[in-house]
Amino acid sequence: MEPIANAVRKTFRYAFYGLAIVLILLALLPAYALFWQGMLLGIAAGMVNTLVLFNKVWRVGQVTEGVRPRGTGTIQRFLVAGLAAYLTVLFPHLFQLSGVLIGLFLVHGLSSLLVYRSLL
C-alpha cells in the first residue's frame, strides 16, 4: 500500500500545482475566465474523486479476516463528476463545460500515470 500512498501524495502535490497555475492564468488572462473557472471546478472535483478512490482502495488493503470489501466508490465518484457537470449547466455564466471536463480528466490521468509508474 505504500507505493500507492506515495503516488496519491504526488498526485495531490501536482494537482495543487495545477490549481496554482490555473489561478495565475485566471489573473493574467481574464478574457478566458469562464474556461479557467471551469478548470478550477474540474480539478477540485477530480481531487475529490481521487480522494474517494484512494480511501476505498486503502480500506480494501486493510481487510481483516471475515470482512468483505465493499467496492471502489464508483457511485460516489460519478455523483461528484455529475455535480460538477450540473453546476456547469446551471451556471453557464460562471463555468465552461470544456474546462470542467479537462480538469476532471487531468487529475485522473495524472493519478493513473503516477500509480502505474510507482508499481513498476
Side-chain angles (χ1 to χ4, degrees), residues 46-57:
M47 289 172 66
V48 170
N49 280 346
T50 302
L51 188 62
V52 168
L53 181 63
F54 174 68
N55 187 19
K56 296 290 187 168
V57 169

Side-chain angles (χ1 to χ4, degrees), residues 11-65:
T11 299
F12 276 100
R13 183 181 317 136
Y14 291 136
F16 280 121
Y17 291 157
L19 278 174
I21 290 170
V22 169
L23 282 171
I24 290 169
L25 288 172
L26 179 63
L28 292 177
L29 302 170
Y32 301 104
L34 291 178
F35 177 76
W36 298 123
Q37 289 168 342
M39 282 279 288
L40 288 174
L41 179 65
I43 291 174
M47 289 172 66
V48 170
N49 280 346
T50 302
L51 188 62
V52 168
L53 181 63
F54 174 68
N55 187 19
K56 296 290 187 168
V57 169
W58 188 263
R59 285 185 187 174
V60 167
Q62 304 296 323
V63 170
T64 59
E65 289 187 33

Side-chain angles (χ1 to χ4, degrees), residues 32 34-40 42-43 85 88 95-106:
Y32 301 104
L34 291 178
F35 177 76
W36 298 123
Q37 289 168 342
M39 282 279 288
L40 288 174
I43 291 174
T88 304
F95 306 112
Q96 192 172 15
L97 185 60
S98 60
V100 173
L101 294 177
I102 290 171
L104 275 169
F105 291 123
L106 182 73

